[in-house]
Amino acid sequence: MDPNTLVLIVVLLLVALVVLSLLRAVQIIPQATAAVVERLGRFKAVEEPGLVFLLPFMDKIRERIDLREQVRSFPPQPVITQDNLTVNIDTVVYYQVTDPKSAVYEIADYINGVEQTTTTTLRNVVGGMSLEETLTSRDSINGQLRGVLDEATGRWGLRVARVELRSIDPPPSIQDSMEKQMRADREKRAMILTAEGNREASIKQAEGQKQAQILAAEGAKQAAILAAEADRQSRMLRAQGERAAQYYQAQGQAKAIEKTFAAIKAGRPTPEMLAYQYLQTLPQMAKGEANKVWLVPSDFGAALQGFTKMLGAPGEDGVFRYTPSPVEEDLPKPEDDSDEVAEWFNTQSDPEIAQAVAAAVAEARTPVAGAIDAPPQYPPLSQQQQPPSAYAQQPPPSGRHGSTEL
């Protein structure tokens, strides 16, 4: 081989080696990553993220460490509880490397160390609990595991942030027993709730019947009070109407008698006329239903003669003739009692009676404590709108026993 060619090959190899060494000497460390650098086999430094220059053939990167918080799920581990039951517990550990140098030089495999520490600590903690406590004390177990792991892994340059129990699986027989117990508890609660519901329904129904009877009694009481008030007012109005009618009838009879008496006095009847009228009255007197026998006295003529002498005076021929009394123009007027009988035509209720009735109605309408619905309220009968009464609309009579012309 030509010596020049050999020299050229050697030079090219040297240049390639230098370029390769320069490329390996320049390293880029990503964000949230740390690089442990060794020089000649010994620890030199922990390089931060960015551009790093190494000495060729002297410095090298031992390991790149991820500084982010990491999550590691470990397979289920069989653990024996205090009551000698084996359960499989699946754990999840959240950790973060805080010292890359310790994580590389203090332990060979910190992941395996965390797993084994978690398993042993979990068995220690759960071994002092029963199955029921284990199932209901997840937070307590998580806190104890975190404290022990954080203390144990601190010298490894790790920080355990959180430990979670993902699942606790008891044996199938225990699960079946738990399901049966849970089913029995549900049936028990259902029966209790059903019994309580029936009891509440019975109580509510009894209270409803009680309130219904109370309201019915109140309604009957109120209706009786209102009916009594209505009957009282109707009787009062009927009595006042009859009294007013009798008063008007008496006024009419008095007026008729007055007119008849005035007409008789003005006509100046003779004794013959009076005797004739007397004889015409006798058959009417005998028509009564209680008159079975009618006796005419034998001295009937003497009785008529005495009656004629009493009413008449003897004339020049000795015959008795009726001499009427002179007509008096200024006769005394009957006494005016309009003010005395004015109250007869007043149909308003007595205020004291109306007040007593209103108090009774208000007491009857007082709601009962615990009533479902309050009874409807009605105004007292005395305050309700009454139909117009014929007697109430008539003014009291005035003048001499009224001025009605019959």
Side-chain angles (χ1 to χ4, degrees), residues 84-102:
N84 297 325
L85 293 175
T86 303
V87 293
N88 293 324
I89 301 178
D90 187 5
T91 57
V92 178
V93 178
Y94 298 81
Y95 67 94
Q96 183 179 14
V97 177
T98 57
D99 187 0
K101 178 182 177 182
S102 298

Side-chain angles (χ1 to χ4, degrees), residues 48-263:
E48 300 294 334
L51 186 62
V52 178
F53 295 95
L54 302 176
L55 294 178
F57 306 107
M58 297 181 65
D59 295 341
K60 73 173 182 177
I61 296 179
R62 168 71 180 271
E63 192 172 351
R64 295 175 184 266
I65 304 298
D66 192 349
L67 299 179
R68 296 174 297 179
E69 184 174 338
Q70 302 181 41
V71 180
R72 178 71 62 170
S73 176
F74 301 122
Q77 299 294 327
V79 181
I80 300 176
T81 62
Q82 187 178 10
D83 46 0
N84 297 325
L85 293 175
T86 303
V87 293
N88 293 324
I89 301 178
D90 187 5
T91 57
V92 178
V93 178
Y94 298 81
Y95 67 94
Q96 183 179 14
V97 177
T98 57
D99 187 0
K101 178 182 177 182
S102 298
V104 173
Y105 295 104
E106 295 295 334
I107 188 171
D109 187 359
Y110 62 86
I111 299 297
N112 188 27
V114 170
E115 180 180 359
Q116 297 303 322
T117 304
T118 302
T119 302
T120 56
T121 305
L122 182 62
R123 288 176 178 174
N124 292 333
V125 173
V126 176
M129 296 182 178
S130 62
L131 178 60
E132 185 176 358
E133 292 177 350
T134 303
L135 295 175
T136 58
S137 303
R138 287 174 176 261
D139 293 338
S140 177
I141 296 175
N142 293 337
Q144 296 182 39
L145 286 176
R146 180 183 176 281
V148 174
L149 288 176
D150 195 16
E151 182 181 359
T153 58
R155 60 189 182 88
W156 299 341
L158 303 178
R159 183 182 66 85
V160 177
R162 191 166 69 253
V163 179
E164 298 289 344
L165 299 182
R166 187 165 61 180
S167 63
I168 301 178
D169 299 328
S173 59
I174 301 300
Q175 292 183 4
D176 188 28
S177 300
M178 293 173 61
E179 290 178 358
K180 291 181 180 179
Q181 181 181 2
M182 189 177 301
R183 189 180 305 111
D185 290 339
R186 290 197 189 99
E187 293 176 356
K188 176 182 176 181
R189 287 197 299 268
M191 293 176 64
I192 293 174
L193 293 177
T194 302
E196 291 181 353
N198 294 333
R199 182 176 65 87
E200 292 293 335
S202 300
I203 293 175
K204 293 296 184 182
Q205 185 176 4
E207 289 180 354
Q209 294 177 357
K210 174 184 175 182
Q211 296 300 331
Q213 293 177 359
I214 292 175
L215 294 178
E218 289 182 354
K221 177 182 177 182
Q222 184 177 356
I225 293 175
L226 296 179
E229 173 65 12
D231 183 65
R232 185 187 69 84
Q233 290 194 3
S234 64
R235 289 185 179 183
M236 290 178 59
L237 293 176
R238 192 179 299 109
Q240 291 176 0
E242 292 176 356
R243 181 175 63 178
Q246 292 176 2
Y247 183 80
Y248 284 134
Q249 185 177 3
Q251 283 186 336
Q253 292 177 358
K255 195 69 176 177
I257 293 173
E258 181 182 354
K259 293 292 184 180
T260 303
F261 183 72

Side-chain angles (χ1 to χ4, degrees), residues 15 21 24 33 39 48 64 73-74 103 131 133 153 180 187 197 212 219 242 262 303 305 308 318 328 338-339 349 395:
V15 171
S21 299
R24 294 187 61 184
T33 303
R39 175 171 292 178
E48 300 294 334
R64 295 175 184 266
S73 176
F74 301 122
L131 178 60
E133 292 177 350
T153 58
K180 291 181 180 179
E187 293 176 356
E242 292 176 356
Q305 183 178 0
T308 303
E328 299 177 3
S338 300
D339 296 337
S349 301

